[in-house]
């Protein structure tokens, strides 16, 4: 687990905002989210519709290193589905395999 993280670039409230992604989290299908900035610290709590999720890991990954198992933590069956969704959210943005994103892994807490 990384402990020397740079400052956050956004707030945890903005980490999962897409309504379909919120549903995936609530259904237990989505346990990670990738962002181009760092939205949460390890141990921080995200609240969605009265449910609490603790961020337990934050690290960087290049888009080119993503595999189907990574897309599945995002709530998608495979990389094609995940990539299609990301590209639909960001029209005109190129998919650059070398681009580094921040991975935020979380789990439901009571």
């Amino acid at each position: 687990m990384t402990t020397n993280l740079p400052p956050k670039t956004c707030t945890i409230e903005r980490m999962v905002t897409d309504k379909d992604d919120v549903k995936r989290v609530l259904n237990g299908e989505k346990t990670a989210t990738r962002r181009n900035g760092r939205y949460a610290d390890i141990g921080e709590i995200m609240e969605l519709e009265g449910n609490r999720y603790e961020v337990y890991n934050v690290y960087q990954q290049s888009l080119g290193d993503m595999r189907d198992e990574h897309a599945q933590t995002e709530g998608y069956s495979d990389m094609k589905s995940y990539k299609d969704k990301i590209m639909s959210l960001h029209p005109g943005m190129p998919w650059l395999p070398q681009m580094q994103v921040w991975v935020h892994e979380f789990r439901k807490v009571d």
Side-chain angles (χ1 to χ4, degrees):
M1 200 177 321
T2 306
T3 54
N4 284 339
L5 298 172
K8 293 192 318 183
T9 58
C10 203
T11 61
I12 196 168
E13 293 81 17
R14 305 230 358 175
M15 195 167 74
V16 179
T17 56
D18 178 77
K19 68 179 177 67
D20 292 332
D21 282 344
V22 170
K23 282 183 201 171
R24 286 183 182 89
V25 172
L26 295 174
N27 291 336
E29 301 162 4
K30 181 176 176 66
T31 58
T33 195
R34 284 155 177 82
R35 294 297 207 149
N36 64 357
R38 201 168 72 75
Y39 283 50
D41 290 319
I42 293 169
E44 203 167 349
I45 301 294
M46 170 178 69
E47 294 193 27
L48 295 174
E49 297 186 16
N51 295 280
R52 296 164 43 89
Y53 300 86
E54 177 190 19
V55 175
Y56 67 88
N57 201 8
V58 177
Y59 59 93
Q60 281 193 298
Q61 179 182 47
S62 69
L63 292 177
D65 286 339
M66 287 187 70
R67 301 290 174 258
D68 287 346
E69 58 266 22
H70 299 116
Q72 290 161 5
T73 68
E74 291 275 359
Y76 296 85
S77 59
D78 55 34
M79 275 304 296
K80 181 183 181 333
S81 302
Y82 174 72
K83 184 177 173 180
D84 289 349
K85 174 64 175 191
I86 295 302
M87 300 311 287
S88 76
L89 292 173
H90 304 285
M93 180 187 83
W95 182 272
L96 303 172
Q98 71 276 16
M99 183 177 171
Q100 293 284 310
V101 293
W102 284 97
V103 182
H104 304 77
E105 296 177 337
F106 49 86
R107 60 184 159 232
K108 189 171 183 179
V109 294
D110 294 325

